[in-house]
Amino acid sequence: MRRKLLFGNWKMNKTREEAKAFAEEAKELDRFAKAHNIDIGVAPTFLSLCGVRKVNPDLCVAAQNCHFEDHGAFTGEISIPMLLDLGVTWCLIGHSERRTYFGETNEACNKKLKALFANNMTPIYCVGETLAEFEANKTKDVIKEQVLVGLEGLTKENVKKLVIAYEPVWSIGTGKNASTTIAEDICGYIRELVKGVFGEEASEEVRILYGGSVKPENVKAYLGEKDVDGALVGGASLKVESFRQLIENIL
Ligand code: PGA
């Protein structure tokens, strides 16, 4: 049985104080979610990872990116051992904003996924098509490439621990949700792709999230779908009250 997972992607929001205040308030929320078999987590900026961990060590905390090398001449980058040093064991990879604004490719994502697993971390690998690709009926081609190249060389055991987030680019931050039918169709398709390469067991264990304008009002419908195990939430994850509503509305 796959546990439900709700993850907040804070993007480039919140000062350290704001992040810590959220973490403090979220203590109660975390206990409440766990009591209902739901895992919750947040992805703050690098600067707030330490503070959030200190204030609320039980909350899953993810970095929003990492470098695949342990150290070296990579100005401006953060390595996996540096994240582990803070006790951070989760990391988003390949978010569409990283792909669009920072040129992140499927091949680079693959290197990062391998490096994260080599360090026993849990990646949340983001995939999704642009509006042009969606309108050209290319969604499945794009997803297939992102999944197959991104996961290339991983083991079955890796994939069992992996989280994949399907986020159509056209629905991120736009208020234009993908229908639950689309979400289920693509999340199910991703599970089939995983099954084809890594086998049935891995495909049954990999957790697949939907992301893109998820709000308290629509979260339950997505999570009611067979292959949707949770949600990656941007805007609606920034306030504790809204996060609380997301959890309550799933129950
Ligand atoms: P959104 O962002 O919920 O604000 O659409 C989702 C994401 O980018 O992960």
Side-chain angles (χ1 to χ4, degrees), residues 156-167:
K156 277 184 199 168
E157 294 310 311
N158 292 156
V159 175
K160 285 183 190 173
K161 290 189 219 126
L162 177 68
V163 178
I164 301 176
Y166 167 55
E167 301 199 298

Side-chain angles (χ1 to χ4, degrees), residues 97-105:
E97 286 144 22
R98 303 254 4 129
R99 293 177 186 264
T100 307
Y101 305 130
F102 304 101
E104 197 152 317
T105 61

Side-chain angles (χ1 to χ4, degrees), residues 9 11 95 97 167 171-174 211-214 232-236:
N9 174 13
K11 312 191 180 189
H95 187 278
E97 286 144 22
E167 301 199 298
S171 77
I172 295 178
T174 58
S213 298
V214 173
L232 183 56
V233 188

Side-chain angles (χ1 to χ4, degrees), residues 117-224:
F117 279 119
N119 285 282
N120 283 322
M121 296 213 3
T122 307
I124 301 178
Y125 178 46
C126 305
V127 298
E129 80 288 2
T130 61
L131 182 60
E133 289 160 347
F134 174 74
E135 286 175 347
N137 235 342
K138 291 202 177 121
T139 300
K140 288 192 174 167
D141 297 340
V142 172
I143 298 294
K144 186 174 183 183
E145 177 94 4
Q146 290 173 333
V147 171
L148 296 187
V149 176
L151 273 53
E152 203 270 321
L154 298 186
T155 67
K156 277 184 199 168
E157 294 310 311
N158 292 156
V159 175
K160 285 183 190 173
K161 290 189 219 126
L162 177 68
V163 178
I164 301 176
Y166 167 55
E167 301 199 298
V169 180
W170 46 271
S171 77
I172 295 178
T174 58
K176 286 188 203 143
N177 296 86
S179 67
T180 51
T181 311
I182 294 178
E184 171 58 20
D185 184 34
I186 304 303
C187 291
Y189 178 64
I190 293 171
R191 208 175 291 288
E192 279 305 306
L193 289 171
V194 168
K195 187 174 170 185
V197 183
F198 300 96
E200 171 122 33
E201 220 185 305
S203 77
E204 284 304 316
E205 288 192 36
V206 63
R207 288 195 279 184
I208 305 178
L209 315 182
Y210 168 77
S213 298
V214 173
K215 304 268 180 298
E217 307 85 70
N218 59 29
V219 69
K220 193 181 174 89
Y222 288 113
L223 270 76

Side-chain angles (χ1 to χ4, degrees), residues 4 17 28 30 42 58 66 88 116 128 135 189 211 233 251:
K4 301 275 181 223
E17 284 311 312
E28 173 58 27
D30 191 47
V42 291
D58 294 332
C66 67
V88 174
L116 286 164
E135 286 175 347
Y189 178 64
V233 188
L251 302 174

